[in-house]
Amino acid sequence: MTIIQAFQQELENEAVVTRKMLALVPSDKYQWKPHSKSMTLQQLATHTAELPTWIGMVLNTDELDFEAHPYSPKIIENTADLIAYFDASLKEGREEFKNADPSNLSKNWTLRNGEQIYTVETKYSFLRSTLSQIIHHRAQLGVYLRLLDIPIPGSYGPSADEHM
């Protein structure tokens, strides 16, 4: 198995659970957040849904500079559109992996805001971070849903809401 194939398999595995979690986001709670410093449920769910698009960004560019390209998230107003957005993002991520050149994975990739550099990593390392971000934000989403008393699916085995 090549490293690209391993990334593809991981994306597929995580996509199943991520889609289940996103499908539970209630459209009438999009502006809810658990704390004043937290993202709204809408912001968190939308960001989680868009993360597979970062695969192509990492593979096809050398950096993301928020000063030159301010972050402007897509506005999603309901869960049906959220799922459609995730499915489109996932399709894009899958295509990028299919066309990926493994020899580029050792090249550096930079995340910055103008002169402020957040990280310089290999493309391989930042792809790992991207897949980890899907998992991380999905887990945050699980906490949000739990706080809203919405039963959540297990990620790597049953959740407390599922029976074994």
Side-chain angles (χ1 to χ4, degrees):
M1 175 179 286
T2 69
I3 191 63
I4 297 296
Q5 290 169 329
F7 278 146
Q8 288 172 312
Q9 185 60 55
E10 186 173 352
L11 178 65
E12 294 305 321
N13 293 344
E14 298 305 334
V16 172
V17 181
T18 302
R19 192 174 199 287
K20 286 180 189 177
M21 195 77 74
L22 290 170
L24 296 173
V25 175
S27 297
D28 65 335
K29 299 287 187 194
Y30 269 38
Q31 296 312 307
W32 183 86
K33 58 184 180 176
H35 188 274
S36 61
K37 293 180 182 179
S38 299
M39 289 186 272
T40 64
L41 182 57
Q42 179 186 37
Q43 291 166 322
L44 177 59
T46 300
H47 182 54
T48 303
E50 79 184 351
L51 281 166
T53 67
W54 283 51
I55 294 165
M57 179 180 55
V58 173
L59 289 171
N60 300 315
T61 68
D62 294 325
E63 72 174 17
L64 172 58
D65 182 350
F66 289 115
E67 185 176 275
H69 304 283
Y71 179 64
S72 180
K74 184 174 177 81
I75 304 300
I76 304 289
E77 299 291 344
N78 62 69
T79 304
D81 289 347
L82 178 66
I83 293 299
Y85 184 48
F86 176 67
D87 288 344
S89 297
L90 184 58
K91 181 179 179 183
E92 182 180 321
R94 286 172 173 149
E95 287 301 313
E96 293 295 345
F97 274 142
K98 282 182 189 173
N99 299 317
D101 179 356
S103 68
N104 287 330
L105 296 179
S106 61
K107 294 180 181 176
N108 279 345
W109 194 84
T110 304
L111 183 63
R112 70 171 62 233
N113 188 12
E115 295 299 315
Q116 182 180 12
I117 295 176
Y118 297 125
T119 188
V120 177
E121 305 175 36
T122 63
K123 289 183 179 210
Y124 166 83
S125 180
F126 207 83
L127 282 171
R128 283 285 328 117
S129 294
T130 298
L131 294 173
S132 294
Q133 283 293 302
I134 294 169
I135 298 162
H136 165 74
H137 288 302
R138 183 182 71 221
Q140 284 182 305
L141 187 57
V143 171
Y144 278 42
L145 295 173
R146 174 79 72 215
L147 291 171
L148 291 169
D149 290 322
I150 297 169
I152 60 172
S155 293
Y156 306 110
S159 74
D161 298 312
E162 297 174 320
H163 300 285
M164 296 179 74

